[in-house]
Amino acid sequence: MIVLGIDPGLANLGLGLVEGDVRKARHLYHVCLTTESAWIMPRRLQYIHEEVTRLIAEYRPDAVAIEDQILRKQADVAFKVGQAFGVVQLACAQAGVPVHHYGPMQVKRSLVGTGRAEKEQVIYMVKASLGIRELFNNHAADALALALTHLASAPMQARAAGLALR
């Protein structure tokens, strides 16, 4: 299974691809897309859409794992991130790739064993799980963590879906 993890954002959007299963995951790719604040909003969203679409076409993931964020205190930030979130989901829908949503606490629990883990602990587990020595960007690390979370959750989700069909 190939999973594309996405840490949504407008200025910085993390993308990470992993392949395998929960016992043996392999790092394929990671990047942090950056849009310039001087770009007009449609240009920023177009760039994100184009890059996510290109990555999906190149790697053909079986699933996308995206972080569900609740930004209550900064409405302007939430609105901008929400637009990027929507553009990413549009690219996935256009490619026919199923999207799965995970909250930050789910990701931390999946990788570290507690929903209250520190960011450094999550990054350590991502690096250890994938055999990556250097991971310079937190957004890309979050994207890889999301992809690993889906690899761990996918078998259980498939069993639950099978039971629901009976």
Side-chain angles (χ1 to χ4, degrees), residues 38-51:
W39 294 355
I40 61 172
M41 183 61 79
R43 174 65 187 115
R44 293 174 89 175
L45 296 173
Q46 177 186 20
Y47 174 72
I48 290 169
H49 183 269
E50 287 172 351
E51 289 301 306

Side-chain angles (χ1 to χ4, degrees), residues 44-124:
R44 293 174 89 175
L45 296 173
Q46 177 186 20
Y47 174 72
I48 290 169
H49 183 269
E50 287 172 351
E51 289 301 306
V52 171
T53 299
R54 182 189 61 74
L55 208 57
I56 289 171
E58 182 177 343
Y59 286 94
R60 300 180 190 268
D62 300 295
V64 170
I66 190 166
E67 184 175 29
D68 256 343
Q69 297 179 348
I70 301 172
L71 301 170
R72 294 186 179 116
K73 295 181 180 176
Q74 297 174 301
D76 60 327
V77 173
F79 183 71
K80 289 175 183 176
V81 171
Q83 290 181 78
F85 187 84
V87 166
V88 165
Q89 292 193 98
L90 173 62
C92 296
Q94 288 173 329
V97 182
V99 177
H100 304 270
H101 300 91
Y102 298 96
M105 289 182 76
Q106 285 176 282
V107 174
K108 292 175 182 180
R109 193 176 318 114
S110 174
L111 289 170
V112 182
T114 175
R116 303 219 183 270
E118 299 293 325
K119 182 165 284 290
E120 293 77 24
Q121 292 173 292
V122 174
I123 292 171
Y124 175 84

Side-chain angles (χ1 to χ4, degrees), residues 1 19-25 110 129 147-155:
M1 171 181 274
E19 178 180 41
D21 61 35
V22 68
R23 289 181 292 294
K24 184 151 173 87
S110 174
S129 298
L148 289 170
T149 297
H150 185 71
L151 282 183
S153 301

